[in-house]
Amino acid sequence: MHAIRVASAALLTATVLTLTIPPASATVTGDENNSNVTSFGFRVTPSTIAAGGQVTLSVDGCEGDTKVTSGIFDDAHIPKGQTTTTAQVFWDAKPGAMYEVTFDCKGEIGKTDLTIATGRPDDDGRRDQGHQPPAQKGVKAGVGGSLGGLDLHEIALGSALILGAVGTAYYKSRRRTGENNS
């Protein structure tokens, strides 16, 4: 009888924990033969930008000049000894589109993506930088119940709380049954 209770509690705990863990996902970009590993580091900051915005192009560990190209901004150049430059994204960039950014360090190529943010452009397709949207009043609803912002620390803490609650319930039920049989 005792083994059935322990097995039931273990199965219930495993089921609850399995259902509370967010699914893992991995995305592989680029060709199957090209893992986009380079001897130098590169990045575009921010990785999502509004049309007409300015991005910072950064490179680390390149011992020569770096040429940065993309179909969404004019070609940029990072001279030897420097690590960053800026580029202005074209105003006619398509919202929601993803553009490839190529870093060329002495013939070695690295690629990353730049996403154009969606939003409400003005009538002529350009964003009015001087006009601020009115302040929001009241509650702005979000994506309730979403697991998008959880990290490993929060998952471990939640799991510990669940295990503690199940363990306490099991202990109390065992203690109570023992008192009734005396």
Side-chain angles (χ1 to χ4, degrees):
M1 189 76 160
H2 176 55
I4 293 173
R5 289 183 188 154
V6 171
S8 297
L11 183 61
L12 178 64
T13 302
T15 303
V16 169
L17 290 177
T18 302
L19 294 176
T20 58
I21 296 173
S25 65
T27 304
V28 178
T29 58
D31 298 335
E32 292 177 8
N33 298 331
N34 180 11
S35 62
N36 206 20
V37 176
T38 60
S39 64
F40 64 97
F42 55 90
R43 68 188 165 281
V44 178
T45 310
S47 61
T48 302
I49 188 82
Q54 186 172 347
V55 292
T56 302
L57 308 168
S58 305
V59 64
D60 298 316
C62 181
E63 300 299 324
D65 293 345
T66 304
K67 181 179 179 183
V68 185
T69 57
S70 180
I72 197 60
F73 54 78
D74 291 326
D75 290 356
H77 182 259
I78 304 174
K80 180 179 179 179
Q82 292 186 3
T83 58
T84 62
T85 190
T86 59
Q88 185 81 23
V89 174
F90 296 146
W91 279 104
D92 61 350
K94 182 180 176 186
M98 188 179 299
Y99 294 89
E100 187 174 75
V101 180
T102 303
F103 290 80
D104 183 350
C105 172
K106 299 187 325 184
E108 188 177 3
I109 305 292
K111 297 178 182 182
T112 189
D113 292 323
L114 176 63
T115 305
I116 305 303
T118 58
R120 266 191 346 221
D122 292 336
D123 293 336
D124 62 350
R126 301 177 79 208
R127 296 189 189 281
D128 183 5
Q129 293 178 332
H131 180 266
Q132 294 293 328
Q136 296 289 330
K137 296 179 180 162
V139 175
K140 185 174 184 180
V143 288
S146 174
L147 297 175
L150 292 181
D151 62 1
L152 190 57
H153 178 72
E154 291 173 337
I155 292 171
L157 182 61
S159 299
L161 289 172
I162 291 169
L163 286 174
V166 170
T168 302
Y170 177 74
Y171 174 75
K172 293 279 187 179
S173 69
R174 291 294 296 154
R175 193 169 150 212
R176 189 173 300 144
T177 3
E179 292 174 356
N180 292 337
N181 291 337
S182 4

